[in-house]
Structures are given as structure tokens and as C-alpha cells.
Amino acid sequence: MTEGFPSTHNEAHGSFVGFQASDVHDSTINIVPPDASPQEKYEVGVRCLEEGLPGRARELIWDAITHNHDGPQIRFYWALAMLSKRAHHDLSAEERRQLDRARDVMQGYAEDKDWKPGLQVVFDLLALPGKADSETAAVLKRLRDLAPPQRDLIVHHLDLVLTSRTKATLWAEVCELARTGQFRGDRSRRVPYYFEPDPIGARTRPPEESTAFRYRPRLTAWTGLFVVAAGFLGISAVIAEPVTAIVELLIALGTGFLAARFGQRWWHNKHRLQAKEQELGQASNQEPVPDPARSPAAPFPASAGGGAPAADGFTSRVRKSFEHYFGKYLPHGCDRPEWLAHTTGIRAVLAAEVAFLYRESRISVDRVNWLIRYLARDAKDRHNNGMLFAHRQQYRTPVTTKLACVLALAVLGVTSLAVTVTAATGSASAFHGFLTFAVFLGAIGSGRRAASVWLDMRSEEQRFAEETQEYHRRMCAREEEFQRWKEHLDAIRPSDAEMEAWLSHDKVLFTADVLRHHQLTWYDIIAHTLLTTPARPYRRARRRGGPWRYSRYTLRLFLATRNGIREISTEVDFARATRPGEQRTNYRFNAFSSVQVTEDDRIGYEMALLLSNGPARTIRIKDADSHQLEPYENARDLSQINLDAAGFAHTFRLLEGIAADGKAWIERNNADSPPPADSAD
């Protein structure tokens, strides 16, 4: 029953192969507001039809028509929506009567050169079964005489209702149209961007709040003690030796000022460099992130200091993404292992920051990859410019500064001692001399403590000012990169209509290859259906209110011929439009015993073909998507949208009919023998 052709078919039910990345694009282009006008509903309906959602399209367009938004163009799109992805026998009796009444309504429309002739051709094509060859030829001539937009829309959407004779006549043109449009619009380059998630906004680590105010009480106390001690020594010295004391005091004040100026710069640079190096060292020595499936995620430390982030899945993926992009963007003259080893600490610090800033519920790493790519490129550029470890240059204290500070302190010490000696020798009292030197020691102690506290306070104030300036610089750069990436995505990401058109061309060319391989023509086909399902592993995305689009599809074509059923499936790499292999299976009409469909919130939709002489065939129609619902979306509506896009309804009806009545059902339910408009369901 199964032919031995190369196959890429892979059905691992209940498991995932590779990755199944998902994203919902932030778009409301096809969302109908409650107060929408009939014109707005019609426009959204037309977009739904272009995007492969005829069920939703006919609801909206018919709603617009019932609210007096009518005309040949509106009726043209409504008729296409009624017939798209459906055969005659998929229509209810009421829908057939609606089409019949629409033919009468059309006569009252004003004449135009595009829409009314197009609508007339739609009805003429519906009436072709049983007509003579001359009438068929006349209708096809009118079809070919239409403007390309109307003609191509009719041929595309009426695929399942055209008679075998009509399809055989038009097939060469349909295939040529598909070959021409398959890669139109730079498909291979643009399709991957459809699956890029909408980026989350720019963020950067804010500076830690300044703690300088905590030093003020201690600074006030120690400074007060120092002023009292220094004042006593200065006054005593001036009383003893006025001229000498004034000179010494002026020298002490000058050298003290210089020591404070150069010493404060040295002190700040030393401590900031130590802090930066310690941050890099601690980050690079972090333990590998454990698998979140085997260990619970620890709370993330609410620290902006670049500490170790929580060992959860998001953090692990952020680190892997940093490693990937740092390995991709290499500076001149560096190979990948060398560059990754050189930037271990930097990557760890940046990964900790990104994980802290974006570790939110349901935020995927893909949404922050734009920032990780930017940081990787920025690191490469800074390395090329010699600024990768800029803090080592920024906080390197020049030797001249250190020498000036040491010299000023030495002179200050000598001068202070001279002032003390002058003050002590100004009195013959031994007690006064002893007291003077005791005060001198107190001045040294309190001055040292006051200077230390003042240096810490000034360094903290300077740190906060520097980090605030750096914060604004980083935020500005990241916001610019975010806007650049978002505008790039908006410009290059294909629309849903383009994605649907490319998929339609793939279906046509796949069908053409199958017919050519089996040496069949449309005259040999009693009925057919083509089911579109996801092929794992895939990436998937959708706009809000729209169907899932996949990076890899399985196209499954069922051809009912007089000899039985041929099932041909293939997997499609959607960006490249390549089909590496096919799986072909033949069934006798009596091989089908039943068709069953199961729905599971965890798995999704599955269709089982129960065979009389073999195991059941299970086909995954769609994966579960309840966890991807937006707040205002309904799970049942979204499932219906995706089933509609997959062509499920017609496929299920066809296979169910074959299982029930075999070949007799097919011969009663094909495009060459449509039911009358007044027949019951």
C-alpha cells in the first residue's frame, strides 16, 4: 500500500523535536472593534480572505452587506469567500440559495468594467457543470478577458468548485502564475523575519542610589574635632611666633589643599577600579546555570551590581544567547575560542544585567535578542577601538598625580609638625608643651578619620554622577538600537497576505509535481483536497486575531481517482520553498473504515484515519495554542481560524464521505455534479 519513495515524514506524537518557538505579533489590523462601520467590517473581511481565512471573511462581508454596504465589488469578494477552500457539497442549502439570490441581485447593479463582469464570471463558472464545450469555452474566454486581479482571485479561490475540464484548461496558466510568484517579494530573505518576535523595549540598569548622605554625621563629628585641635595649634603658634607661624600655616593650608585634590582623584580611581575588576571576576567565576527542569529557580537578587542572576531557564537562555552572538560577532584578528575566553567576565556581567531587567513572566529570550546582538557588536567595536576594558584606562591614576599627592602629604606632615613645635616652644610651661603635642596627635587622628570619611563621601557622589551619566548614555544608545531594529522589522517583515500567497504557490507547484509524477491530468481526478499542517521542528508566529504561520509545513494531498485514493505528503522549508522528499501512500476505497478527530488542550487537533487492513494513521492538524492566547481572544475562535487556514473542513468531509460510502460518495460529491440550489443539506 505504501510506495518506497524517499521520505522526510516525521510524526513523533506527544513529543517535540528541536524547538517549537512561538510568537504573537502586536497587530490589530484584522481586529474588528465593537463600533466598526459596515465599510470597516468589509475591509477587514477582504484582508481575511487575502490571508486564507474565508470563513471569517464571509461572516464580516455578509454583515456589511446586511447593513446596506453593498455593490458589485462587495458581492464579488463575498462570493469568493463563500467558495474559497470549499467544494459545492461543502455549502449548506441556505448558502446555495444565497448564491442563487445574489445572481438576481447582481442584475440591478450599475455597470462597471471590473467588478460586475468578474462577479458574472463567478456565477457562470458555478453553472458550468453539464454545459456544452462551446459554453465552457465562452466562459473561459470571459475569464481570461478580466483584469489580472479579478482573474487571478477567481482562479485561486474557486479551485475546489471548478470542473475537471475547466481546471485542465486553466492548469498551465495557474502553474505559470505560481512559478512567477513563488519567490516574488524577496521571499527567502524576508520570511525568517516573520517569525522574529516583536522586540521588548529598551532598558538599562539604573545607578544605585547614592549613599553619600550616610557619611555626613561622621564627617561633621570628625571635622569638628579636627578644627578644634588644629585651631588650638594654630592660635598657640601665632601667639608664640607670629611671622613664622603664619608662613607655616599658609604652607600647611596650600599643601593640604593639593593633597586633598590629588588624593581624592587617586582614592576614587583606586576604589572604582577595584569594584569593576571584582565585578568582572565574580561574574566570570559563577557556577554554570543548572537545568531548570531539574532544580527550582532561586529568587533573583534585587541588585543592580551585576551579581549572579537566578539559576532559572530564562537566565540560562540569556547566557547562551550572549555566547552565541559574541561568537558570531568577532573582532579583527580574533578567533572564536580566544574571543569568548577574553570576554568571559564581560558576557557574564551583561547577561546578569539583561536577565535582571527582563526576567518577566512569558517573556522569551527572542524578544531581547536585539539587545544582546547590539551588546555583542558593541563589545566587538570597543575591542577594535581599544576600549573594551575602558574602565582600566578611565580609572588609571597617572604617576604624576600619585607623586604630587605623596609630596604634598610629606610637606603637609613636616609643616604640621613645625607648627606644633612653634606652638610648644612659645611657653616655658612643661604642661603646655605636653598638651600641645597631645593636641597634635589628636589632630592627626581626627584629621585622618575626617579625610577618610570625606574621601568616601566624595567618591560616592562622583560614582553616582558618573553612573547616572553612563545610564543616560546607554539608555539613549539602546533606545536608538531598539527603534532601528523595530523599524527594520516593520519594513522587512512580510504581511499575512504575502505569506498566504507564497503558501498557495507552493501548494500549486506541489500538486503539479504530483500530477506529473503519477502522469495524471485533472480529467483523471474525481475529487481532491490539500491539508496544510505544521512540520516539526518549526518556528511559528501569528498576528493577533490571525492564524499561525510556520517555518516548516507538511503539505498532504489526497487525490481521489477511479482506482482509489493517493495520499502524497511532503515537508516544506517555507523560507526556501524546498521540498527534500515525499511520502506516497495508496488506498483502496474500501480501505478506510472511519475518520476520527480528537481535540486536546495540551496536544491540539489530531485526525486519525482508521484503516481496515493496517494501523491507524494519525495526522497532527494543529498544535495546542491555549497558552498563547491574548487576553481578549477565545480559544474556540482561534482554533476555528487555524482549522480554516489549514483547509481542514473540506478534507475531513471528503475523507469522512469516503469512509462512509467509498467511491459512490466521491462520484456524487465532485465539482462535475454539484447539488441543485434548492436541495436539502
Side-chain angles (χ1 to χ4, degrees), residues 609-627:
L609 307 180
L610 303 183
L611 307 177
S612 59
N613 58 348
R617 292 285 315 285
T618 303
I619 301 172
R620 178 71 60 83
I621 306 299
K622 60 178 287 294
D623 288 327
D625 46 32
S626 58
H627 64 289

mmCIF file of all heavy atoms in Angstrom, residues 609-627:
data_model
loop_
_atom_site.group_PDB
_atom_site.id
_atom_site.type_symbol
_atom_site.label_atom_id
_atom_site.label_comp_id
_atom_site.label_asym_id
_atom_site.label_seq_id
_atom_site.Cartn_x
_atom_site.Cartn_y
_atom_site.Cartn_z
ATOM 1 N N LEU A 609 -6.982 8.321 10.693
ATOM 2 C CA LEU A 609 -7.569 7.564 9.593
ATOM 3 C C LEU A 609 -7.511 6.093 9.992
ATOM 4 O O LEU A 609 -6.428 5.500 10.054
ATOM 5 C CB LEU A 609 -6.796 7.799 8.296
ATOM 6 C CG LEU A 609 -6.589 9.254 7.864
ATOM 7 C CD1 LEU A 609 -5.804 9.302 6.558
ATOM 8 C CD2 LEU A 609 -7.922 9.952 7.710
ATOM 9 N N LEU A 610 -8.654 5.512 10.271
ATOM 10 C CA LEU A 610 -8.711 4.113 10.687
ATOM 11 C C LEU A 610 -8.844 3.246 9.444
ATOM 12 O O LEU A 610 -9.782 3.401 8.652
ATOM 13 C CB LEU A 610 -9.889 3.884 11.636
ATOM 14 C CG LEU A 610 -9.891 4.758 12.902
ATOM 15 C CD1 LEU A 610 -11.066 4.397 13.799
ATOM 16 C CD2 LEU A 610 -8.582 4.599 13.657
ATOM 17 N N LEU A 611 -7.896 2.347 9.251
ATOM 18 C CA LEU A 611 -7.832 1.512 8.058
ATOM 19 C C LEU A 611 -8.295 0.100 8.379
ATOM 20 O O LEU A 611 -8.084 -0.410 9.483
ATOM 21 C CB LEU A 611 -6.411 1.494 7.505
ATOM 22 C CG LEU A 611 -5.773 2.874 7.252
ATOM 23 C CD1 LEU A 611 -4.336 2.711 6.777
ATOM 24 C CD2 LEU A 611 -6.592 3.667 6.259
ATOM 25 N N SER A 612 -8.886 -0.526 7.397
ATOM 26 C CA SER A 612 -9.388 -1.884 7.594
ATOM 27 C C SER A 612 -8.281 -2.925 7.561
ATOM 28 O O SER A 612 -8.446 -4.023 8.068
ATOM 29 C CB SER A 612 -10.440 -2.210 6.532
ATOM 30 O OG SER A 612 -9.868 -2.091 5.225
ATOM 31 N N ASN A 613 -7.158 -2.596 6.954
ATOM 32 C CA ASN A 613 -6.090 -3.590 6.811
ATOM 33 C C ASN A 613 -4.734 -3.056 7.258
ATOM 34 O O ASN A 613 -3.709 -3.372 6.680
ATOM 35 C CB ASN A 613 -6.005 -4.056 5.359
ATOM 36 C CG ASN A 613 -5.749 -2.888 4.418
ATOM 37 O OD1 ASN A 613 -5.855 -1.738 4.826
ATOM 38 N ND2 ASN A 613 -5.422 -3.183 3.182
ATOM 39 N N GLY A 614 -4.746 -2.235 8.291
ATOM 40 C CA GLY A 614 -3.484 -1.700 8.762
ATOM 41 C C GLY A 614 -3.684 -0.827 9.981
ATOM 42 O O GLY A 614 -4.813 -0.620 10.443
ATOM 43 N N PRO A 615 -2.598 -0.311 10.539
ATOM 44 C CA PRO A 615 -2.710 0.542 11.727
ATOM 45 C C PRO A 615 -3.350 1.887 11.387
ATOM 46 O O PRO A 615 -3.365 2.318 10.228
ATOM 47 C CB PRO A 615 -1.246 0.721 12.155
ATOM 48 C CG PRO A 615 -0.466 0.554 10.888
ATOM 49 C CD PRO A 615 -1.205 -0.466 10.077
ATOM 50 N N ALA A 616 -3.883 2.532 12.401
ATOM 51 C CA ALA A 616 -4.485 3.851 12.214
ATOM 52 C C ALA A 616 -3.416 4.865 11.832
ATOM 53 O O ALA A 616 -2.297 4.833 12.347
ATOM 54 C CB ALA A 616 -5.198 4.291 13.487
ATOM 55 N N ARG A 617 -3.759 5.757 10.920
ATOM 56 C CA ARG A 617 -2.878 6.855 10.537
ATOM 57 C C ARG A 617 -3.289 8.088 11.320
ATOM 58 O O ARG A 617 -4.425 8.535 11.229
ATOM 59 C CB ARG A 617 -3.003 7.144 9.039
ATOM 60 C CG ARG A 617 -2.465 6.063 8.122
ATOM 61 C CD ARG A 617 -0.941 6.085 8.108
ATOM 62 N NE ARG A 617 -0.434 7.430 7.972
ATOM 63 C CZ ARG A 617 -0.452 8.132 6.829
ATOM 64 N NH1 ARG A 617 -0.921 7.584 5.737
ATOM 65 N NH2 ARG A 617 0.029 9.353 6.785
ATOM 66 N N THR A 618 -2.368 8.626 12.091
ATOM 67 C CA THR A 618 -2.661 9.827 12.883
ATOM 68 C C THR A 618 -1.973 11.031 12.267
ATOM 69 O O THR A 618 -0.769 11.005 12.014
ATOM 70 C CB THR A 618 -2.192 9.654 14.338
ATOM 71 O OG1 THR A 618 -2.826 8.491 14.887
ATOM 72 C CG2 THR A 618 -2.551 10.872 15.168
ATOM 73 N N ILE A 619 -2.752 12.067 12.033
ATOM 74 C CA ILE A 619 -2.234 13.292 11.423
ATOM 75 C C ILE A 619 -2.462 14.439 12.393
ATOM 76 O O ILE A 619 -3.611 14.709 12.788
ATOM 77 C CB ILE A 619 -2.936 13.593 10.083
ATOM 78 C CG1 ILE A 619 -2.728 12.432 9.101
ATOM 79 C CG2 ILE A 619 -2.435 14.894 9.486
ATOM 80 C CD1 ILE A 619 -3.538 12.566 7.825
ATOM 81 N N ARG A 620 -1.388 15.075 12.786
ATOM 82 C CA ARG A 620 -1.498 16.245 13.663
ATOM 83 C C ARG A 620 -1.930 17.445 12.823
ATOM 84 O O ARG A 620 -1.199 17.885 11.935
ATOM 85 C CB ARG A 620 -0.162 16.520 14.340
ATOM 86 C CG ARG A 620 -0.139 17.747 15.248
ATOM 87 C CD ARG A 620 -0.917 17.562 16.527
ATOM 88 N NE ARG A 620 -0.402 16.463 17.331
ATOM 89 C CZ ARG A 620 0.624 16.580 18.163
ATOM 90 N NH1 ARG A 620 1.233 17.730 18.307
ATOM 91 N NH2 ARG A 620 1.021 15.540 18.862
ATOM 92 N N ILE A 621 -3.130 17.950 13.092
ATOM 93 C CA ILE A 621 -3.658 19.074 12.318
ATOM 94 C C ILE A 621 -3.087 20.392 12.818
ATOM 95 O O ILE A 621 -2.645 21.242 12.057
ATOM 96 C CB ILE A 621 -5.197 19.113 12.388
ATOM 97 C CG1 ILE A 621 -5.776 17.767 11.958
ATOM 98 C CG2 ILE A 621 -5.743 20.238 11.522
ATOM 99 C CD1 ILE A 621 -5.444 17.373 10.548
ATOM 100 N N LYS A 622 -3.099 20.572 14.108
ATOM 101 C CA LYS A 622 -2.572 21.792 14.698
ATOM 102 C C LYS A 622 -2.164 21.503 16.133
ATOM 103 O O LYS A 622 -2.748 20.639 16.796
ATOM 104 C CB LYS A 622 -3.581 22.939 14.661
ATOM 105 C CG LYS A 622 -4.881 22.646 15.407
ATOM 106 C CD LYS A 622 -5.837 23.826 15.379
ATOM 107 C CE LYS A 622 -5.380 24.932 16.271
ATOM 108 N NZ LYS A 622 -5.389 24.583 17.700
ATOM 109 N N ASP A 623 -1.167 22.214 16.620
ATOM 110 C CA ASP A 623 -0.734 22.080 17.997
ATOM 111 C C ASP A 623 -1.593 22.956 18.904
ATOM 112 O O ASP A 623 -2.246 23.913 18.454
ATOM 113 C CB ASP A 623 0.738 22.464 18.141
ATOM 114 C CG ASP A 623 1.661 21.410 17.538
ATOM 115 O OD1 ASP A 623 1.302 20.224 17.592
ATOM 116 O OD2 ASP A 623 2.721 21.780 17.013
ATOM 117 N N ALA A 624 -1.563 22.633 20.162
ATOM 118 C CA ALA A 624 -2.330 23.414 21.136
ATOM 119 C C ALA A 624 -1.795 24.832 21.200
ATOM 120 O O ALA A 624 -0.598 25.072 21.071
ATOM 121 C CB ALA A 624 -2.249 22.760 22.513
ATOM 122 N N ASP A 625 -2.693 25.775 21.383
ATOM 123 C CA ASP A 625 -2.256 27.169 21.447
ATOM 124 C C ASP A 625 -2.980 27.932 22.548
ATOM 125 O O ASP A 625 -2.981 29.161 22.547
ATOM 126 C CB ASP A 625 -2.492 27.877 20.106
ATOM 127 C CG ASP A 625 -3.865 27.609 19.515
ATOM 128 O OD1 ASP A 625 -4.820 27.421 20.302
ATOM 129 O OD2 ASP A 625 -3.987 27.571 18.290
ATOM 130 N N SER A 626 -3.595 27.215 23.492
ATOM 131 C CA SER A 626 -4.312 27.918 24.559
ATOM 132 C C SER A 626 -3.375 28.775 25.391
ATOM 133 O O SER A 626 -3.762 29.825 25.904
ATOM 134 C CB SER A 626 -5.035 26.912 25.452
ATOM 135 O OG SER A 626 -4.119 25.979 26.007
ATOM 136 N N HIS A 627 -2.093 28.350 25.518
ATOM 137 C CA HIS A 627 -1.145 29.117 26.323
ATOM 138 C C HIS A 627 -0.658 30.359 25.578
ATOM 139 O O HIS A 627 0.037 31.189 26.153
ATOM 140 C CB HIS A 627 0.054 28.246 26.686
ATOM 141 C CG HIS A 627 0.864 27.814 25.499
ATOM 142 N ND1 HIS A 627 0.402 26.883 24.593
ATOM 143 C CD2 HIS A 627 2.096 28.189 25.069
ATOM 144 C CE1 HIS A 627 1.320 26.709 23.657
ATOM 145 N NE2 HIS A 627 2.350 27.477 23.928
#
